[in-house]
Amino acid sequence: MKAISPRLSSLSSKYVFQPTHHIQQLAPVATTAVFTTPNGSRRPFSVLNRPPPNYPGHVPLTGLERAALAVGSGVVSLFDPYRHDMIAALGEATASPYFIERLRRAMLSSATGRRILRDRPRIASATLDLGRLRGLGRNTVGGTYAAWLDREGVSPDTRDAVRYVDDAECAYVMQRYRESHDFYHALTGLPVVREGEVALKAFEFANTLLPMTGLALLALTTMKPAERRRFWTIYGPWAVRNGLRSDEVINVYWEEEMETDVDELRARLGIERPPDLRDIRKQERAEKKRLREAAAAQAGAS
């Protein structure tokens, strides 16, 4: 196993821009509330005077609207972690302009990432043959992914479309991250319970630097003491260690890895699987039940 210290010492190089050719020019980040119309005239950007969308479904936001969306969606997400629409809005509102562009540059610096940006594949039931994946070996990436979906009762069709990222290519990067999330779950074995989601978000934050994944750690305040203790002693250190040292997971072309041995892919990326959280929770419940029964038996005997 590689030591963590060399990885930490090279952290700055992981997030520094490396010159490379570009697939598509990034739209300049607006510094004033002004936009240029198709006929070349400049007009003020306001709630009542929006620029045209840059891609289907795009909703241009003013700076004030983006800030309000970030705060509002963040509060709702904290108290209701199953509001996926609010979590998605928080991710988009806080990713621009720097963080999503950093992730795009990470893809441009990788040959595989550049192919993903060129091909723009989508992860959904319509593009994945889940029946075929279920027939693959249990230790293949595709088989592991299908088994995780079945065990957790999750569908790949639940990811909201990106709306609030202005640049079209950056919007695809956010969409790719969002649709790949369940593959990260399958690769690590973490379940969709709040405790598992927080652990995975910590891993994603260390690996992608997307602010929403870091803000998700505020959910620790709503967890039970035993869950918080497990995070700080087991899953938090695992997330930081593996997120920092592993390759950029956004650059995995999942569609081409379905028949790959899942342990081989983990080794290639530099990701170790954490202790099985469902097993730990099951053992903890069994121990609590045993203690209660023992206490009841002792009370009955006296």
Side-chain angles (χ1 to χ4, degrees):
M1 182 181 296
K2 295 181 289 186
I4 187 64
S5 55
R7 183 60 173 173
L8 289 172
S9 65
S10 63
L11 175 60
S12 59
S13 64
K14 178 177 180 179
Y15 299 122
V16 172
F17 170 71
Q18 298 295 330
T20 182
H21 71 276
H22 292 263
I23 292 177
Q24 177 181 326
Q25 179 101 16
L26 260 180
V29 176
T31 56
T32 59
V34 174
F35 69 94
T36 303
T37 65
N39 62 13
S41 63
R42 293 171 64 80
R43 300 177 63 183
F45 179 9
S46 68
V47 174
L48 300 177
N49 191 27
R50 296 184 188 277
N54 295 329
Y55 54 87
H58 174 225
V59 179
L61 298 176
T62 66
L64 182 59
E65 288 175 322
R66 187 174 297 277
L69 179 64
V71 173
S73 60
V75 171
V76 174
S77 300
L78 178 61
F79 291 100
D80 187 356
Y82 298 104
R83 283 291 302 274
H84 296 159
D85 56 336
M86 290 292 97
I87 295 173
L90 176 63
E92 295 172 39
T94 57
S96 297
Y98 171 74
F99 299 98
I100 194 61
E101 291 172 6
R102 189 214 71 81
L103 204 57
R104 174 183 178 268
R105 291 195 297 268
M107 296 186 74
L108 287 170
S109 68
S110 161
T112 302
R114 291 194 295 273
R115 284 199 299 112
I116 295 172
L117 286 176
R118 183 182 65 244
D119 300 343
R120 296 199 177 187
R122 297 294 301 273
I123 298 173
S125 295
T127 59
L128 298 175
D129 186 347
L130 294 179
R132 185 183 76 85
L133 298 185
R134 292 185 178 99
L136 296 176
R138 292 178 59 85
N139 213 48
T140 63
V141 171
T144 299
Y145 172 70
W148 183 87
L149 291 178
D150 293 340
R151 183 181 73 171
E152 300 296 328
V154 174
S155 165
D157 299 324
T158 57
R159 301 302 171 187
D160 293 336
V162 173
R163 303 174 63 198
Y164 304 115
V165 176
D166 291 334
D167 180 76
E169 187 162 78
C170 286
Y172 174 75
V173 174
M174 176 61 77
Q175 191 73 41
R176 181 67 178 181
Y177 153 75
R178 188 173 291 170
E179 292 178 0
S180 297
H181 178 76
D182 288 342
F183 276 100
Y184 308 156
H185 268 293
L187 202 64
T188 61
L190 289 168
V192 295
V193 297
R194 182 179 301 197
E195 190 178 356
E197 289 288 0
V198 170
L200 188 60
K201 283 294 189 290
F203 167 84
E204 290 178 342
F205 181 61
N207 192 263
T208 70
L209 289 185
L210 289 175
M212 176 273 293
T213 58
L215 292 172
L217 299 184
L218 292 174
L220 283 167
T221 60
T222 67
M223 291 163 58
K224 298 175 181 178
E227 294 172 340
R228 289 198 296 270
R229 184 169 59 251
R230 274 196 296 269
F231 179 84
W232 293 120
T233 59
I234 300 175
Y235 294 99
W238 166 86
V240 173
R241 183 172 64 252
N242 283 267
L244 289 176
R245 74 179 182 182
S246 67
D247 292 344
E248 300 271 6
V249 291
I250 192 67
N251 289 326
V252 178
Y253 209 137
W254 298 104
E255 294 84 350
E256 297 179 351
E257 300 284 359
M258 295 301 185
E259 298 184 16
T260 302
D261 184 273
V262 68
D263 293 324
E264 176 188 324
L265 181 59
R266 291 189 186 109
R268 191 198 315 159
L269 294 174
I271 297 175
E272 61 183 350
R273 186 174 181 181
D276 191 305
L277 179 56
R278 283 204 179 277
D279 281 351
I280 291 177
R281 289 162 63 96
K282 183 178 179 180
Q283 292 169 11
E284 184 181 78
R285 288 193 299 269
E287 179 63 14
K288 287 181 178 178
K289 181 180 179 181
R290 186 189 67 80
L291 293 175
R292 285 196 303 269
E293 292 175 347
Q298 185 176 8
S302 60

